[in-house]
Amino acid sequence: MKPTGYTSLLDMKQTEQGIKLIKEFFQQNLSTELRLRRVTAPLFVLQGLGLNDDLNGVEQPVTFAVKDMGGAKAEVVHSLAKWKRMSLAEYGVAAGYGIYTDMNAIRTDEELDNLHSLYVDQWDWEAVIRPEDRTVAFLKDVVERIYAAILRTEYLACETYPQLKPFLPEKIHFIHAEELLQMFPDKTAKEREDAICKRYGAVFVIGIGGKLSDGKAHDGRAADYDDWSSTTEDGREGLNGDILIWYPVLGRSFELSSMGIRVDEEALQRQLKIRGQEDRSKLYFHQQLLSGRLPLSIGGGIGQSRLCMVLLHKAHIGEIQASIWPEEMRRECAEMGIRLI
């Protein structure tokens, strides 16, 4: 995407200082809001345990052989969606508390653009919940807490750099993916996100992964972490969703977080059956869950570079993180005054 008349409001030194400011402040606020403690996370996991995040189920992880383990294969993580839940059990975290970590990943199948990089960095978080917390109302409360931390961080960034002006609304709007489809039946899922975010400024789209009335899912989700096929008390489906905002710098919707209440034993079996992946129930992670050894939880990922990009009013994620880009993209960015790190 080529922004019209873009000029960075911060030079490279201010940008690097701003990245540090935002990352330190936001993670402390997130930790306080959700009662999370920081833990150390892996960059890679062993293949065949079912621990890696399968994203949409088609992306290929970076894989390598470990010489000192008889050539056993390891995978660079896509995210820590399932590893975190294992960690909650290992740490014995009580209900109402959780963990967060710095997650770094390589996603070789990404289509590179202003928002998508081969390198992914996010705050991966997970918290233990009670059976009675597996509701849309609880999900919404957690979303509002996260959004409150984002707003406070925006305020700090704008106070530190007065040339930045706040643009996020005070409240986040909730809408189910099916309701969004009915509002804009002639638009694609991405166009629907653009339309609703432009109207409200900040939106949480509920119910991502299950098929809607048009026979399509709003977006992809793996079958074994978010619960996207539960029937909730208001008759709608899904206990997960995405935090999206309207980003005026690029004139489009912008995803900051994917999150949700995680599958319990019944939801895991149901979703694996929907996807025709029942054989995955034999994997280590799935066996731990099906045998009741893992706590009920809610969790998600919040993009670090993406949040910094938004709050520092940048046009390209390459202004925030060091990655590699096609030469043509680098040339076009230079022509538009976009300085990639």
Side-chain angles (χ1 to χ4, degrees):
M1 181 172 289
K2 301 178 181 180
T4 303
Y6 171 73
T7 301
S8 177
L9 299 177
L10 304 178
D11 61 28
M12 294 193 75
K13 178 182 177 181
Q14 291 172 318
T15 297
E16 293 288 4
Q17 292 172 332
I19 292 169
K20 181 175 184 292
L21 177 77
I22 289 169
K23 287 188 175 184
E24 291 179 348
F25 184 81
F26 178 78
Q27 69 180 355
Q28 184 60 52
N29 273 260
L30 180 70
S31 173
T32 301
E33 280 286 357
L34 301 184
R35 294 190 287 188
L36 311 173
R37 70 170 183 259
R38 189 186 183 283
V39 299
T40 301
L43 177 60
F44 39 80
V45 294
L46 282 174
Q47 193 178 69
L49 298 180
L51 277 177
N52 205 353
D53 178 2
D54 296 308
L55 300 177
N56 298 312
V58 296
E59 294 86 351
Q60 295 298 310
V62 175
T63 306
F64 60 95
V66 183
K67 179 181 178 181
D68 207 34
M69 295 178 65
K73 294 292 182 66
E75 298 176 347
V76 175
V77 297
H78 279 144
S79 87
L80 299 171
K82 288 176 279 188
W83 177 87
K84 292 176 298 181
R85 196 166 177 183
M86 296 279 292
S87 295
L88 290 177
E90 291 174 4
Y91 283 108
V93 177
Y97 296 86
I99 60 174
Y100 80 93
T101 189
D102 290 290
M103 190 285 300
N104 298 291
I106 302 172
R107 297 182 183 174
T108 60
D109 291 330
E110 288 284 17
E111 296 183 7
L112 306 181
D113 58 22
N114 301 63
L115 275 63
H116 297 89
S117 170
L118 297 175
Y119 169 63
V120 178
D121 57 342
Q122 62 185 29
W123 291 284
D124 251 329
W125 64 274
E126 198 85 9
V128 178
I129 62 174
R130 305 164 300 173
E132 58 265 35
D133 295 328
R134 301 188 79 256
T135 66
V136 172
F138 183 85
L139 175 66
K140 288 181 177 179
D141 178 68
V142 174
V143 171
E144 288 173 340
R145 290 175 179 273
I146 294 172
Y147 188 68
I150 292 173
L151 285 181
R152 284 195 291 272
T153 310
E154 181 190 43
Y155 176 80
L156 176 65
C158 293
E159 280 288 293
T160 305
Y161 304 105
Q163 61 269 47
L164 303 175
K165 304 302 178 186
F167 64 89
L168 294 174
E170 292 185 8
K171 302 291 184 181
I172 187 167
H173 179 77
F174 293 91
I175 189 168
H176 192 275
E178 178 62 35
E179 184 182 352
L180 188 57
L181 172 62
Q182 297 304 319
M183 287 178 66
F184 306 105
D186 298 326
K187 296 182 181 295
T188 65
K190 180 64 182 67
E191 289 169 344
R192 295 196 292 270
E193 290 180 353
D194 286 344
I196 199 68
C197 286
K198 189 171 185 180
R199 180 179 299 184
Y200 291 104
V203 178
F204 186 76
V205 179
I206 302 170
I208 296 179
K211 289 183 179 179
L212 305 177
S213 60
D214 63 353
K216 303 175 183 177
H218 180 83
D219 201 354
R221 280 292 195 281
D224 45 15
Y225 53 100
D226 282 357
D227 187 342
W228 42 256
S229 64
S230 286
T231 300
T232 64
E233 70 274 12
D234 62 358
R236 294 174 175 170
E237 291 186 332
L239 293 173
N240 71 343
D242 289 343
I243 296 177
L244 306 166
I245 60 142
W246 178 253
Y247 190 41
V249 173
L250 296 178
R252 56 161 292 173
S253 59
F254 192 115
E255 179 187 323
L256 289 177
S257 176
S258 171
M259 58 173 288
I261 291 172
R262 306 310 197 184
V263 291
D264 57 11
E265 294 95 322
E266 190 274 333
L268 174 63
Q269 292 175 319
R270 180 176 63 250
Q271 292 182 177
L272 288 176
K273 185 176 182 179
I274 290 172
R275 292 285 173 81
Q277 298 174 335
E278 292 96 329
D279 59 323
R280 293 187 65 82
S281 64
K282 300 174 184 177
L283 297 174
Y284 177 73
F285 168 82
H286 304 71
Q287 282 293 302
Q288 292 293 301
L289 176 53
L290 292 171
S291 62
R293 296 189 179 94
L294 302 183
L296 297 175
S297 67
I298 183 173
I302 303 166
Q304 295 188 14
S305 291
R306 284 197 175 195
L307 183 64
C308 292
M309 177 181 169
V310 164
L311 298 187
L312 298 178
H313 299 198
K314 297 294 187 176
H316 197 289
I317 200 165
E319 296 177 90
I320 299 296
Q321 57 163 245
S323 185
I324 56 177
W325 307 97
E327 192 56 40
E328 182 180 357
M329 182 180 290
R330 284 193 169 274
R331 179 181 54 76
E332 290 179 347
C333 286
E335 290 174 355
M336 290 184 288
I338 298 174
R339 298 187 64 178
L340 302 182
I341 295 174

